[in-house]
Amino acid sequence: MLLSDIIRYNTQILIRNRWRSVALTTCIAIGVASVILLTGLGEGARQYVQNEFNALGTNLIVIFPGKRETAGAGPPIYGTSPRDLTIEDSSHIAHLPGVKYVAPVIAGNAVISYGARSREVITIGSTDTFIQTRNLSLAMGQNLPANSAERGEAVCVLGIKLYRELFGNENPLGQMISVEDYRYRVIGVLSERGESLGLDMRDMLLIPVRSAEMMFNTPGLFRILVQLTALGAQSDEAQDKAIDQIYELIKSRHHGEEDITIVTQQSMMDAFNSILVTLTAVIGFLAGISLLVAGILIMNLSLISVQRRRPEIGLLKAMGASIKTIQWMILLESGLLILFASIVGLALAHGLLWLVTQFFPYLPLQAPIWINVLALAIALVTGMLFSLLPARRAGSVPPAEVLRG
C-alpha cells in the first residue's frame, strides 16, 4: 500500500469510529491545552513581575534599616537596628561617586480631605528626586521643592487618581487640602501610572520628607532609594564598589555598626525570576502528566480497536499487506489523530489566553514558541510510544485463522 492509500484508509477508519476519535481528540487536546495554558500563565506572571521591577526605575538599589540575618532554618529576617536611617544619612550618600539620585522615604497612611470629600491614602514623604528614582513624571504643576530634605514646606503632589477623586474637573494647583491636622497646598499632579509592586502610584500623596517626619512623628526613614549613574552600574564590579562605599559610609556614621541591608533591583528581579521559572516548570510538568494519561487511553482504545478489526486486518494480510505495513498503518492512524488533536489543543489554549488578556490587559500572558513545539512533540512521542503495542498486536494477526472465523 502506498502512503497516500494508508492515509486515506486511516481517515476513513477515524471517521467511521467517531466516538473513539472524539474521545481521544478531546483527551489529547485538553492535555496539550493544559500545558500551554499553565506555562503561558507562568510566563505571563514572570513578565508581569519583570515589568514591575523595570517600572521601579533603572540602576536602582534600595537601602533598608536593619541588618538581614539568617537564624537556623528560618527565613531571612530584617533585624532591629540600633540606629535609624536618617535624612542626614541619605544626604551623605548623595555625595558618593557613582550615585546619581538619592530619595529618602518615609511612608504612612493619612486622611486627606478637600471640601466634603475625604479619604485615606498612602502618603510618601521624600524629596524632589523621588520622581526620578521611581521613573515618574508630572502631568501638571511642579515637583517638590529642591530643599525638601532641609525644610518641611506645606506643599504636596497628588497621584492622578487622588486628584480626580478630590477635585474632579477643577484645577487643583494652588488649592489647599487637609492632610491629618495639617494644611497643604497642591503644587503638582503625577502622570498616569499603574500599580508598582503593590503600591498604586495613582492613589498616593507626595509631600516633603521633613513634613512627613513631623506628621508621622518618626526620625527614621522607611528606606532610601538610590539610583546609580550609568558608570556606577555599568558592571557588577562597579555596582559592588558603589554598594561597598555605602556600607562603609553608614558604618562610619553609625559608630562602626553595619546596620543596614542593601538590595539591588537586579537581585530582586533575579530572585523573583528564579522562583517563577521554577514554578512554571513544575506546573508545566504536572500538566504534561495529562498527556501521559492520554497516551494510556490511546493504547487501550487502540487495543480494543485492533481486536474488533481482526477480520479486516486478516483480510489485508491475506491480500498481501506485510506485517510492517499493518504496523505502520496503526501507528500512522494514531499519529494523524494526535496531530489533529494537538492542533485543536493549541488553538484552544491560545484562544483562552487571548480571552484572559481582554479582561486583564495588564497581564502579558503568552506561551513561548518553544513550549508549543515541546507540547506537540511530547504528545506525538507519547502517543506513538503507547501505540507500539497495538501495532505489534495488529501485525501478529494470523490471516488464515481470522478468515476461517
mmCIF file of all heavy atoms in Angstrom, residues 361-403:
data_model
loop_
_atom_site.group_PDB
_atom_site.id
_atom_site.type_symbol
_atom_site.label_atom_id
_atom_site.label_comp_id
_atom_site.label_asym_id
_atom_site.label_seq_id
_atom_site.Cartn_x
_atom_site.Cartn_y
_atom_site.Cartn_z
ATOM 1 N N PRO A 361 -5.803 43.207 30.749
ATOM 2 C CA PRO A 361 -4.806 43.637 29.749
ATOM 3 C C PRO A 361 -3.420 43.892 30.323
ATOM 4 O O PRO A 361 -2.440 43.908 29.570
ATOM 5 C CB PRO A 361 -5.419 44.929 29.193
ATOM 6 C CG PRO A 361 -6.395 45.392 30.221
ATOM 7 C CD PRO A 361 -6.916 44.164 30.893
ATOM 8 N N TYR A 362 -3.314 44.103 31.642
ATOM 9 C CA TYR A 362 -2.004 44.359 32.226
ATOM 10 C C TYR A 362 -1.195 43.077 32.414
ATOM 11 O O TYR A 362 -0.013 43.139 32.774
ATOM 12 C CB TYR A 362 -2.149 45.076 33.577
ATOM 13 C CG TYR A 362 -3.052 44.367 34.555
ATOM 14 C CD1 TYR A 362 -2.558 43.404 35.411
ATOM 15 C CD2 TYR A 362 -4.413 44.677 34.618
ATOM 16 C CE1 TYR A 362 -3.386 42.753 36.308
ATOM 17 C CE2 TYR A 362 -5.248 44.032 35.507
ATOM 18 C CZ TYR A 362 -4.724 43.067 36.349
ATOM 19 O OH TYR A 362 -5.552 42.407 37.226
ATOM 20 N N LEU A 363 -1.832 41.917 32.190
ATOM 21 C CA LEU A 363 -1.095 40.654 32.300
ATOM 22 C C LEU A 363 -0.607 40.237 30.913
ATOM 23 O O LEU A 363 -1.412 39.933 30.039
ATOM 24 C CB LEU A 363 -2.003 39.558 32.873
ATOM 25 C CG LEU A 363 -2.277 39.609 34.366
ATOM 26 C CD1 LEU A 363 -3.253 38.501 34.751
ATOM 27 C CD2 LEU A 363 -0.997 39.454 35.163
ATOM 28 N N PRO A 364 0.705 40.234 30.693
ATOM 29 C CA PRO A 364 1.234 39.858 29.368
ATOM 30 C C PRO A 364 1.261 38.340 29.191
ATOM 31 O O PRO A 364 2.332 37.730 29.125
ATOM 32 C CB PRO A 364 2.631 40.467 29.384
ATOM 33 C CG PRO A 364 3.033 40.441 30.814
ATOM 34 C CD PRO A 364 1.775 40.622 31.635
ATOM 35 N N LEU A 365 0.070 37.731 29.111
ATOM 36 C CA LEU A 365 0.010 36.273 29.005
ATOM 37 C C LEU A 365 0.404 35.836 27.606
ATOM 38 O O LEU A 365 -0.175 36.273 26.619
ATOM 39 C CB LEU A 365 -1.413 35.785 29.311
ATOM 40 C CG LEU A 365 -1.947 36.113 30.702
ATOM 41 C CD1 LEU A 365 -3.341 35.565 30.866
ATOM 42 C CD2 LEU A 365 -1.020 35.547 31.771
ATOM 43 N N GLN A 366 1.387 34.986 27.537
ATOM 44 C CA GLN A 366 1.803 34.452 26.244
ATOM 45 C C GLN A 366 2.597 33.172 26.469
ATOM 46 O O GLN A 366 3.346 33.065 27.430
ATOM 47 C CB GLN A 366 2.649 35.472 25.489
ATOM 48 C CG GLN A 366 3.861 35.947 26.263
ATOM 49 C CD GLN A 366 4.667 36.965 25.481
ATOM 50 O OE1 GLN A 366 4.431 37.174 24.304
ATOM 51 N NE2 GLN A 366 5.618 37.598 26.130
ATOM 52 N N ALA A 367 2.358 32.223 25.576
ATOM 53 C CA ALA A 367 3.095 30.958 25.655
ATOM 54 C C ALA A 367 4.267 31.039 24.693
ATOM 55 O O ALA A 367 4.077 31.307 23.510
ATOM 56 C CB ALA A 367 2.179 29.799 25.292
ATOM 57 N N PRO A 368 5.491 30.835 25.186
ATOM 58 C CA PRO A 368 6.656 30.896 24.288
ATOM 59 C C PRO A 368 6.544 29.857 23.173
ATOM 60 O O PRO A 368 5.887 28.824 23.337
ATOM 61 C CB PRO A 368 7.830 30.580 25.219
ATOM 62 C CG PRO A 368 7.320 30.770 26.599
ATOM 63 C CD PRO A 368 5.862 30.520 26.563
ATOM 64 N N ILE A 369 7.188 30.134 22.047
ATOM 65 C CA ILE A 369 7.117 29.220 20.899
ATOM 66 C C ILE A 369 7.656 27.840 21.283
ATOM 67 O O ILE A 369 7.113 26.807 20.892
ATOM 68 C CB ILE A 369 7.919 29.810 19.722
ATOM 69 C CG1 ILE A 369 7.226 31.091 19.230
ATOM 70 C CG2 ILE A 369 8.027 28.809 18.579
ATOM 71 C CD1 ILE A 369 7.974 31.809 18.125
ATOM 72 N N TRP A 370 8.710 27.844 22.115
ATOM 73 C CA TRP A 370 9.325 26.559 22.436
ATOM 74 C C TRP A 370 8.378 25.634 23.183
ATOM 75 O O TRP A 370 8.433 24.411 23.029
ATOM 76 C CB TRP A 370 10.616 26.767 23.247
ATOM 77 C CG TRP A 370 10.431 27.404 24.597
ATOM 78 C CD1 TRP A 370 10.521 28.720 24.896
ATOM 79 C CD2 TRP A 370 10.113 26.743 25.827
ATOM 80 N NE1 TRP A 370 10.280 28.933 26.228
ATOM 81 C CE2 TRP A 370 10.038 27.735 26.827
ATOM 82 C CE3 TRP A 370 9.906 25.420 26.180
ATOM 83 C CZ2 TRP A 370 9.743 27.438 28.157
ATOM 84 C CZ3 TRP A 370 9.616 25.115 27.505
ATOM 85 C CH2 TRP A 370 9.531 26.116 28.476
ATOM 86 N N ILE A 371 7.463 26.207 24.007
ATOM 87 C CA ILE A 371 6.554 25.330 24.747
ATOM 88 C C ILE A 371 5.489 24.763 23.812
ATOM 89 O O ILE A 371 5.000 23.653 24.016
ATOM 90 C CB ILE A 371 5.920 26.074 25.948
ATOM 91 C CG1 ILE A 371 5.253 25.055 26.904
ATOM 92 C CG2 ILE A 371 4.887 27.091 25.496
ATOM 93 C CD1 ILE A 371 6.197 24.080 27.519
ATOM 94 N N ASN A 372 5.133 25.514 22.753
ATOM 95 C CA ASN A 372 4.206 24.975 21.762
ATOM 96 C C ASN A 372 4.819 23.776 21.046
ATOM 97 O O ASN A 372 4.174 22.740 20.878
ATOM 98 C CB ASN A 372 3.854 26.063 20.737
ATOM 99 C CG ASN A 372 3.033 27.184 21.336
ATOM 100 O OD1 ASN A 372 1.820 27.098 21.381
ATOM 101 N ND2 ASN A 372 3.680 28.244 21.800
ATOM 102 N N VAL A 373 6.085 23.952 20.644
ATOM 103 C CA VAL A 373 6.781 22.860 19.959
ATOM 104 C C VAL A 373 6.954 21.672 20.898
ATOM 105 O O VAL A 373 6.744 20.515 20.521
ATOM 106 C CB VAL A 373 8.148 23.359 19.447
ATOM 107 C CG1 VAL A 373 8.933 22.210 18.817
ATOM 108 C CG2 VAL A 373 7.964 24.494 18.445
ATOM 109 N N LEU A 374 7.316 21.967 22.156
ATOM 110 C CA LEU A 374 7.556 20.892 23.129
ATOM 111 C C LEU A 374 6.274 20.114 23.418
ATOM 112 O O LEU A 374 6.279 18.877 23.481
ATOM 113 C CB LEU A 374 8.108 21.490 24.431
ATOM 114 C CG LEU A 374 8.500 20.488 25.521
ATOM 115 C CD1 LEU A 374 9.620 19.585 25.023
ATOM 116 C CD2 LEU A 374 8.935 21.211 26.796
ATOM 117 N N ALA A 375 5.155 20.842 23.607
ATOM 118 C CA ALA A 375 3.880 20.163 23.890
ATOM 119 C C ALA A 375 3.476 19.279 22.721
ATOM 120 O O ALA A 375 3.008 18.136 22.917
ATOM 121 C CB ALA A 375 2.800 21.205 24.169
ATOM 122 N N LEU A 376 3.665 19.781 21.511
ATOM 123 C CA LEU A 376 3.320 18.987 20.319
ATOM 124 C C LEU A 376 4.212 17.751 20.235
ATOM 125 O O LEU A 376 3.739 16.637 19.953
ATOM 126 C CB LEU A 376 3.478 19.861 19.074
ATOM 127 C CG LEU A 376 3.112 19.222 17.736
ATOM 128 C CD1 LEU A 376 1.650 18.816 17.716
ATOM 129 C CD2 LEU A 376 3.398 20.197 16.596
ATOM 130 N N ALA A 377 5.515 17.934 20.510
ATOM 131 C CA ALA A 377 6.458 16.813 20.440
ATOM 132 C C ALA A 377 6.138 15.766 21.499
ATOM 133 O O ALA A 377 6.155 14.552 21.222
ATOM 134 C CB ALA A 377 7.885 17.335 20.610
ATOM 135 N N ILE A 378 5.837 16.221 22.728
ATOM 136 C CA ILE A 378 5.528 15.266 23.806
ATOM 137 C C ILE A 378 4.265 14.475 23.464
ATOM 138 O O ILE A 378 4.194 13.263 23.669
ATOM 139 C CB ILE A 378 5.351 16.017 25.141
ATOM 140 C CG1 ILE A 378 6.692 16.576 25.614
ATOM 141 C CG2 ILE A 378 4.775 15.098 26.211
ATOM 142 C CD1 ILE A 378 6.594 17.426 26.865
ATOM 143 N N ALA A 379 3.260 15.175 22.939
ATOM 144 C CA ALA A 379 2.012 14.494 22.583
ATOM 145 C C ALA A 379 2.264 13.437 21.508
ATOM 146 O O ALA A 379 1.777 12.300 21.613
ATOM 147 C CB ALA A 379 0.987 15.519 22.103
ATOM 148 N N LEU A 380 3.056 13.794 20.489
ATOM 149 C CA LEU A 380 3.325 12.848 19.401
ATOM 150 C C LEU A 380 4.159 11.656 19.884
ATOM 151 O O LEU A 380 3.826 10.501 19.610
ATOM 152 C CB LEU A 380 4.056 13.569 18.261
ATOM 153 C CG LEU A 380 3.164 14.425 17.347
ATOM 154 C CD1 LEU A 380 4.011 15.264 16.405
ATOM 155 C CD2 LEU A 380 2.219 13.540 16.545
ATOM 156 N N VAL A 381 5.228 11.965 20.631
ATOM 157 C CA VAL A 381 6.112 10.882 21.096
ATOM 158 C C VAL A 381 5.365 9.955 22.045
ATOM 159 O O VAL A 381 5.428 8.717 21.927
ATOM 160 C CB VAL A 381 7.362 11.477 21.788
ATOM 161 C CG1 VAL A 381 8.167 10.391 22.479
ATOM 162 C CG2 VAL A 381 8.226 12.208 20.779
ATOM 163 N N THR A 382 4.630 10.547 23.015
ATOM 164 C CA THR A 382 3.886 9.733 23.978
ATOM 165 C C THR A 382 2.844 8.877 23.265
ATOM 166 O O THR A 382 2.718 7.662 23.527
ATOM 167 C CB THR A 382 3.182 10.642 25.012
ATOM 168 O OG1 THR A 382 4.146 11.499 25.597
ATOM 169 C CG2 THR A 382 2.516 9.811 26.087
ATOM 170 N N GLY A 383 2.092 9.500 22.358
ATOM 171 C CA GLY A 383 1.039 8.763 21.649
ATOM 172 C C GLY A 383 1.605 7.634 20.796
ATOM 173 O O GLY A 383 1.065 6.523 20.766
ATOM 174 N N MET A 384 2.729 7.900 20.111
ATOM 175 C CA MET A 384 3.311 6.878 19.259
ATOM 176 C C MET A 384 3.886 5.732 20.076
ATOM 177 O O MET A 384 3.781 4.565 19.692
ATOM 178 C CB MET A 384 4.402 7.506 18.376
ATOM 179 C CG MET A 384 3.892 8.591 17.432
ATOM 180 S SD MET A 384 2.586 8.014 16.339
ATOM 181 C CE MET A 384 3.518 7.103 15.134
ATOM 182 N N LEU A 385 4.505 6.076 21.224
ATOM 183 C CA LEU A 385 5.051 5.010 22.077
ATOM 184 C C LEU A 385 3.946 4.092 22.585
ATOM 185 O O LEU A 385 4.087 2.859 22.586
ATOM 186 C CB LEU A 385 5.810 5.631 23.264
ATOM 187 C CG LEU A 385 7.192 6.222 22.959
ATOM 188 C CD1 LEU A 385 7.777 6.880 24.197
ATOM 189 C CD2 LEU A 385 8.142 5.131 22.451
ATOM 190 N N PHE A 386 2.843 4.684 22.999
ATOM 191 C CA PHE A 386 1.748 3.865 23.515
ATOM 192 C C PHE A 386 0.980 3.166 22.386
ATOM 193 O O PHE A 386 0.096 2.359 22.663
ATOM 194 C CB PHE A 386 0.788 4.733 24.340
ATOM 195 C CG PHE A 386 1.271 4.968 25.744
ATOM 196 C CD1 PHE A 386 1.927 6.145 26.074
ATOM 197 C CD2 PHE A 386 1.096 4.008 26.729
ATOM 198 C CE1 PHE A 386 2.386 6.372 27.362
ATOM 199 C CE2 PHE A 386 1.548 4.230 28.024
ATOM 200 C CZ PHE A 386 2.202 5.411 28.345
ATOM 201 N N SER A 387 1.286 3.498 21.141
ATOM 202 C CA SER A 387 0.633 2.824 20.006
ATOM 203 C C SER A 387 1.451 1.636 19.516
ATOM 204 O O SER A 387 0.996 0.893 18.643
ATOM 205 C CB SER A 387 0.438 3.826 18.854
ATOM 206 O OG SER A 387 -0.414 4.876 19.248
ATOM 207 N N LEU A 388 2.675 1.485 20.049
ATOM 208 C CA LEU A 388 3.526 0.390 19.581
ATOM 209 C C LEU A 388 2.917 -0.973 19.891
ATOM 210 O O LEU A 388 2.933 -1.881 19.057
ATOM 211 C CB LEU A 388 4.918 0.514 20.233
ATOM 212 C CG LEU A 388 5.819 1.631 19.696
ATOM 213 C CD1 LEU A 388 7.120 1.698 20.480
ATOM 214 C CD2 LEU A 388 6.120 1.390 18.212
ATOM 215 N N LEU A 389 2.372 -1.116 21.116
ATOM 216 C CA LEU A 389 1.789 -2.409 21.494
ATOM 217 C C LEU A 389 0.589 -2.767 20.609
ATOM 218 O O LEU A 389 0.529 -3.895 20.073
ATOM 219 C CB LEU A 389 1.379 -2.389 22.970
ATOM 220 C CG LEU A 389 0.784 -3.706 23.500
ATOM 221 C CD1 LEU A 389 1.778 -4.859 23.322
ATOM 222 C CD2 LEU A 389 0.388 -3.571 24.974
ATOM 223 N N PRO A 390 -0.374 -1.841 20.396
ATOM 224 C CA PRO A 390 -1.474 -2.172 19.472
ATOM 225 C C PRO A 390 -0.966 -2.475 18.063
ATOM 226 O O PRO A 390 -1.526 -3.350 17.383
ATOM 227 C CB PRO A 390 -2.329 -0.891 19.487
ATOM 228 C CG PRO A 390 -2.031 -0.255 20.784
ATOM 229 C CD PRO A 390 -0.600 -0.548 21.055
ATOM 230 N N ALA A 391 0.106 -1.762 17.621
ATOM 231 C CA ALA A 391 0.629 -2.009 16.274
ATOM 232 C C ALA A 391 1.217 -3.413 16.177
ATOM 233 O O ALA A 391 1.004 -4.131 15.179
ATOM 234 C CB ALA A 391 1.686 -0.965 15.937
ATOM 235 N N ARG A 392 1.968 -3.828 17.193
ATOM 236 C CA ARG A 392 2.526 -5.171 17.200
ATOM 237 C C ARG A 392 1.430 -6.224 17.269
ATOM 238 O O ARG A 392 1.498 -7.263 16.609
ATOM 239 C CB ARG A 392 3.471 -5.345 18.386
ATOM 240 C CG ARG A 392 4.728 -4.496 18.294
ATOM 241 C CD ARG A 392 5.675 -4.787 19.432
ATOM 242 N NE ARG A 392 6.079 -6.200 19.439
ATOM 243 C CZ ARG A 392 6.836 -6.728 20.375
ATOM 244 N NH1 ARG A 392 7.253 -5.997 21.387
ATOM 245 N NH2 ARG A 392 7.178 -8.000 20.326
ATOM 246 N N ARG A 393 0.383 -5.922 18.061
ATOM 247 C CA ARG A 393 -0.745 -6.862 18.161
ATOM 248 C C ARG A 393 -1.439 -7.005 16.802
ATOM 249 O O ARG A 393 -1.811 -8.100 16.401
ATOM 250 C CB ARG A 393 -1.730 -6.323 19.210
ATOM 251 C CG ARG A 393 -2.880 -7.253 19.549
ATOM 252 C CD ARG A 393 -2.438 -8.447 20.391
ATOM 253 N NE ARG A 393 -1.823 -8.063 21.639
ATOM 254 C CZ ARG A 393 -2.503 -7.783 22.767
ATOM 255 N NH1 ARG A 393 -3.812 -7.836 22.753
ATOM 256 N NH2 ARG A 393 -1.851 -7.471 23.866
ATOM 257 N N ALA A 394 -1.590 -5.888 16.088
ATOM 258 C CA ALA A 394 -2.235 -5.939 14.767
ATOM 259 C C ALA A 394 -1.373 -6.716 13.775
ATOM 260 O O ALA A 394 -1.879 -7.472 12.942
ATOM 261 C CB ALA A 394 -2.484 -4.526 14.261
ATOM 262 N N GLY A 395 -0.033 -6.506 13.875
ATOM 263 C CA GLY A 395 0.852 -7.188 12.944
ATOM 264 C C GLY A 395 0.898 -8.691 13.150
ATOM 265 O O GLY A 395 1.252 -9.454 12.233
ATOM 266 N N SER A 396 0.525 -9.133 14.332
ATOM 267 C CA SER A 396 0.582 -10.571 14.632
ATOM 268 C C SER A 396 -0.731 -11.292 14.324
ATOM 269 O O SER A 396 -0.864 -12.475 14.623
ATOM 270 C CB SER A 396 0.941 -10.773 16.114
ATOM 271 O OG SER A 396 -0.086 -10.253 16.941
ATOM 272 N N VAL A 397 -1.706 -10.590 13.790
ATOM 273 C CA VAL A 397 -2.992 -11.239 13.482
ATOM 274 C C VAL A 397 -2.770 -12.261 12.360
ATOM 275 O O VAL A 397 -2.307 -11.898 11.269
ATOM 276 C CB VAL A 397 -4.033 -10.182 13.044
ATOM 277 C CG1 VAL A 397 -5.294 -10.879 12.534
ATOM 278 C CG2 VAL A 397 -4.367 -9.251 14.194
ATOM 279 N N PRO A 398 -3.080 -13.561 12.603
ATOM 280 C CA PRO A 398 -2.891 -14.572 11.554
ATOM 281 C C PRO A 398 -4.032 -14.520 10.545
ATOM 282 O O PRO A 398 -5.193 -14.717 10.927
ATOM 283 C CB PRO A 398 -2.905 -15.892 12.332
ATOM 284 C CG PRO A 398 -3.677 -15.584 13.572
ATOM 285 C CD PRO A 398 -3.500 -14.145 13.881
ATOM 286 N N PRO A 399 -3.756 -14.281 9.262
ATOM 287 C CA PRO A 399 -4.832 -14.123 8.285
ATOM 288 C C PRO A 399 -5.668 -15.384 8.080
ATOM 289 O O PRO A 399 -6.896 -15.309 7.991
ATOM 290 C CB PRO A 399 -4.078 -13.734 7.013
ATOM 291 C CG PRO A 399 -2.687 -14.196 7.203
ATOM 292 C CD PRO A 399 -2.430 -14.106 8.669
ATOM 293 N N ALA A 400 -5.018 -16.507 8.030
ATOM 294 C CA ALA A 400 -5.775 -17.738 7.755
ATOM 295 C C ALA A 400 -6.784 -18.039 8.863
ATOM 296 O O ALA A 400 -7.952 -18.351 8.620
ATOM 297 C CB ALA A 400 -4.790 -18.907 7.604
ATOM 298 N N GLU A 401 -6.315 -17.886 10.115
ATOM 299 C CA GLU A 401 -7.198 -18.190 11.253
ATOM 300 C C GLU A 401 -8.384 -17.240 11.277
ATOM 301 O O GLU A 401 -9.523 -17.636 11.550
ATOM 302 C CB GLU A 401 -6.390 -18.047 12.548
ATOM 303 C CG GLU A 401 -7.197 -18.324 13.803
ATOM 304 C CD GLU A 401 -6.357 -18.091 15.054
ATOM 305 O OE1 GLU A 401 -5.121 -18.204 14.974
ATOM 306 O OE2 GLU A 401 -6.961 -17.776 16.081
ATOM 307 N N VAL A 402 -8.104 -15.939 10.983
ATOM 308 C CA VAL A 402 -9.170 -14.940 11.011
ATOM 309 C C VAL A 402 -10.188 -15.212 9.911
ATOM 310 O O VAL A 402 -11.393 -15.142 10.101
ATOM 311 C CB VAL A 402 -8.580 -13.529 10.854
ATOM 312 C CG1 VAL A 402 -9.684 -12.505 10.645
ATOM 313 C CG2 VAL A 402 -7.742 -13.178 12.056
ATOM 314 N N LEU A 403 -9.690 -15.572 8.723
ATOM 315 C CA LEU A 403 -10.596 -15.792 7.594
ATOM 316 C C LEU A 403 -11.450 -17.038 7.799
ATOM 317 O O LEU A 403 -12.595 -17.109 7.338
ATOM 318 C CB LEU A 403 -9.779 -15.918 6.301
ATOM 319 C CG LEU A 403 -9.095 -14.622 5.825
ATOM 320 C CD1 LEU A 403 -8.257 -14.876 4.595
ATOM 321 C CD2 LEU A 403 -10.144 -13.555 5.529
#
